[in-house]
Amino acid sequence: MAPPRRPHLVAAAAAALLLLLLPAHLALAVAQGFRGFSYLLDCGAASPTTDRRGLHWDPDAAYVSAGAPRGVSLPGLLDPTLATLRTFPFRPEAKFCYELPVDRNRRYLLRPTFFYGALFSASSAAPPRPPPVFDLIVDGTFWTAVNTTDDALAGAASSYEGVFPATGRNLSFCLGVNPDYTDAGPFISALQVIQLDDSVYNATGFGASAMGLIARTKFGSAGGIERYPDDIFDRYWQPFPDSKHAVSSTQNITSTNFWNLPPRDVFSTAFVAEQDAPLVLQWPPMPLQNDSYYVALYFADTLPDNSRTFDVYINDYLFARGLNVTSDGLSVFATQWVLSGLTKVILKPASPSALPPLINAGEVFGLFPVGRLTYARDVRALESIKRNLQNIPEDWNGDPCMPLGYSWTGVTCDEGSRIRVISLNLSSMGLTGSLSPEIAKLTALTDISFANNRLNESIPNLSNLSKLQRLHLQENQLSGSVPETLGMISALRELFLEQNELSGRVPDNLLNKTGLTYRFQPGNNFSPKPPH
């Protein structure tokens, strides 16, 4: 295994300048809610709800165009956001997306929650089906597969958390139907999308990687989960009790001195080693696959005006040497630390006479590559096509092509130096509306088929589509004349326009075009009538 990269030390005293840069209204987050573009969506709900912490959740219908809401009644259910959910159909390789306006070039914490117990309770007397397994996708990035089986059997909800960059004005959060997993459609109970402060996790190269939470822990705590309002971004800090090493502290840590803005109360408990002995933790508590991880550890002396010095090891590698921890607190982090299997964090005193080492909290994230996106000009053209049509496929949201295997229904793409749309096949889909002239901006297209729909108005100018080989628009309600510009497309080999309401004269440059197979009749009103 390759040695990990060197961690970074961030002390509270060294971060004083950061205080001057923090937004003034950040301190009001507890009273005013989350800053910037942030969303708390109660999926499937018909009206806003308020949870026990005073957080207000909005219905999700304004941000998603697919799926069906469901409501259930569960005795003793304390969280109102788990009383409803949205279910989606089983449509192999389709993705169903929430579209959320965001601030470009900011980063967002996403936390979807899934409560399959609701579906258990809504079932008949027959044994319930196991929960569906499905993919999570953000923009063009594959995040992870959702498997809630263990939690569902325990009657508990499942939450996933990731941190993602916003590369455009909208962020797409999608549920992907993978037929290799199960034969049931996905579902979701709640979705949080919270804009993070610019300082939070700012050392991660979000141009290349996103982060998926593995563990976030408050050592020495035997209470409940630390979260909002204690954490202004509603991050969940799980307790990690151990009566042998746990201590409490009354230190008043100024947590805004830390770039990651941890809640102050994570420093109220700690694990402290016994005198003249190292502190050894198996953490995170699950085995990890061999990969690079983001690791952050938090420390603060439990005694006022006190300090202690110790070394930190993760498995066999030195993570931090001679760490001088005071009651002001500090943190150490590494953005690409290699871990594999079960992990041990070892704190060793610097000398036999030194005070025993301690630790208050820690975070571990897995890193995964940010996916590529469809060529922006193609995306804008498809959005225009979408606006001109009705009854479009339910999965026409999110990135049109990415990730691989999850392109929009009827859209075929090519992954070259740019992700380009090369084919549109929306035949027999019950579409109404008209063909947007913006279709001519999909300059990599080789095939267009909108046959057997109910499209009206005229055929737009497609002369810019120099690679177009097949154009099938038969069996619609198109009117007007056949554009002479179609004859200017040198690659065109098939042109099917029968069974429309077209009129006028068919251009000679089409009738005489070498290598072109065409169908203009029956069903149009050409004069003179073209040859069959």
Side-chain angles (χ1 to χ4, degrees):
M1 184 170 68
R5 296 192 177 188
R6 186 178 181 85
H8 306 273
L9 175 66
V10 181
L17 179 60
L18 180 61
L19 287 175
L20 302 177
L21 303 178
L22 289 174
H25 65 281
L26 186 58
L28 301 177
V30 171
Q32 301 297 329
F34 305 109
R35 58 172 299 195
F37 282 102
S38 297
Y39 303 89
L40 303 181
L41 301 182
D42 186 358
C43 301
S47 58
T49 56
T50 302
D51 66 16
R52 291 176 296 165
R53 297 175 291 158
L55 289 176
H56 299 284
W57 296 74
D58 292 320
D60 66 335
Y63 304 98
V64 63
S65 59
R70 294 185 61 173
V72 297
S73 177
L74 289 177
L77 185 65
L78 298 178
D79 189 340
T81 65
L82 301 183
T84 60
L85 67 160
R86 183 173 293 273
T87 60
F88 299 88
F90 178 73
R91 185 173 299 158
E93 299 181 347
K95 62 179 185 281
F96 302 103
C97 301
Y98 287 80
E99 295 284 354
L100 303 153
V102 291
D103 275 345
R104 187 174 183 175
N105 298 324
R106 302 297 294 270
R107 65 187 68 97
Y108 287 81
L109 181 151
L110 275 68
R111 183 185 296 111
T113 299
F114 311 93
F115 184 46
Y116 195 70
L119 295 181
F120 272 144
S121 71
S123 302
S124 64
R129 297 182 61 180
V133 180
F134 48 91
D135 290 333
L136 295 186
I137 297 162
V138 178
D139 292 332
T141 300
F142 171 78
W143 177 2
T144 189
V146 171
N147 189 338
T148 65
T149 301
D150 291 341
D151 287 334
L153 291 173
S158 304
S159 290
Y160 293 73
E161 183 183 313
V163 179
F164 293 84
T167 57
R169 292 176 296 177
N170 285 323
L171 184 144
S172 299
F173 169 79
C174 311
L175 311 177
V177 181
N178 189 329
D180 293 337
Y181 299 155
T182 54
D183 59 356
F187 70 98
I188 184 170
S189 302
L191 175 62
Q192 294 173 271
V193 180
I194 300 172
Q195 186 183 101
L196 297 175
D197 188 84
D198 287 340
S199 70
V200 178
Y201 310 124
N202 63 356
T204 301
F206 282 100
S209 298
M211 301 166 59
L213 182 66
I214 304 296
R216 181 184 291 115
T217 302
K218 181 182 177 182
F219 295 111
S221 173
I225 297 173
E226 187 96 10
R227 50 184 183 168
Y228 182 91
D230 299 309
D231 189 308
I232 60 174
F233 304 115
D234 201 26
R235 292 170 295 187
Y236 288 13
W237 300 79
Q238 297 282 349
F240 197 117
D242 179 351
S243 59
K244 182 178 181 180
H245 297 102
V247 298
S248 297
S249 171
T250 59
Q251 294 301 310
N252 188 10
I253 303 297
T254 306
S255 59
T256 52
N257 288 5
F258 293 81
W259 87 110
N260 272 359
L261 301 176
R264 182 175 60 185
D265 282 353
V266 302
F267 297 101
S268 65
T269 62
F271 281 167
V272 179
E274 299 179 76
Q275 189 67 43
D276 301 330
L279 179 63
V280 180
L281 306 173
Q282 183 178 299
W283 179 84
M286 71 288 291
L288 303 175
Q289 65 181 18
N290 186 6
D291 211 338
S292 293
Y293 294 83
Y294 173 100
V295 180
L297 304 177
Y298 300 88
F299 309 89
D301 202 297
T302 57
L303 302 174
D305 303 318
N306 195 57
S307 65
R308 60 190 75 205
T309 303
F310 51 89
D311 300 330
V312 180
Y313 291 82
I314 297 183
N315 292 333
D316 297 326
Y317 294 98
L318 181 68
F319 192 76
R321 182 186 299 279
L323 202 62
N324 185 31
V325 174
T326 71
S327 54
D328 289 332
L330 59 78
S331 60
V332 182
F333 73 95
T335 58
Q336 294 187 37
W337 191 269
V338 177
L339 298 174
S340 179
L342 292 173
T343 300
K344 285 187 177 180
V345 177
I346 305 169
L347 312 180
K348 294 182 178 180
S351 67
S353 60
L355 288 172
L358 56 71
I359 185 171
N360 301 85
E363 294 179 281
V364 177
F365 287 87
L367 304 176
F368 50 92
V370 171
R372 299 173 65 191
L373 298 174
T374 305
Y375 182 44
R377 185 174 178 179
D378 284 7
V379 175
R380 290 192 295 270
L382 284 173
E383 289 293 340
S384 179
I385 293 169
K386 177 179 169 181
R387 287 192 296 270
N388 277 40
L389 297 173
Q390 291 80 51
N391 302 325
I392 58 172
E394 287 184 309
D395 65 344
W396 270 44
N397 286 297
D399 189 272
C401 298
M402 302 300 285
L404 293 177
Y406 281 112
S407 60
W408 290 0
T409 294
V411 176
T412 303
C413 306
D414 177 67
E415 185 181 12
S417 58
R418 293 171 173 169
I419 309 296
R420 300 299 309 271
V421 176
I422 60 172
S423 175
L424 294 177
N425 183 359
L426 288 102
S427 299
S428 305
M429 290 192 176
L431 301 177
T432 61
S434 62
L435 281 178
S436 168
E438 297 293 303
I439 195 172
K441 293 184 177 179
L442 296 171
T443 53
L445 280 177
T446 61
D447 292 81
I448 298 175
S449 180
F450 284 85
N452 191 27
N453 286 292
R454 297 190 300 278
L455 302 183
N456 54 34
E457 299 188 17
S458 60
I459 301 172
N461 182 350
L462 304 179
S463 58
N464 284 340
L465 303 183
S466 61
K467 299 180 180 180
L468 186 64
Q469 299 175 25
R470 285 167 286 275
L471 178 60
H472 293 189
L473 301 177
Q474 70 271 27
E475 299 180 62
N476 279 284
Q477 298 165 10
L478 298 170
S479 59
S481 60
V482 178
E484 188 173 359
T485 52
L486 289 177
M488 300 166 57
I489 305 174
S490 59
L492 193 62
R493 293 294 176 265
E494 289 183 7
L495 177 61
F496 296 168
L497 299 178
E498 71 271 22
Q499 298 294 351
N500 276 287
E501 298 172 7
L502 298 167
S503 60
R505 181 184 180 90
V506 176
D508 289 339
N509 63 354
L510 287 171
L511 295 175
N512 300 326
K513 186 173 179 59
T514 302
L516 176 64
T517 299
Y518 55 74
R519 296 178 188 168
F520 295 116
Q521 297 286 20
N524 289 305
N525 301 306
F526 296 119
S527 179
K529 289 187 178 181
H532 292 288

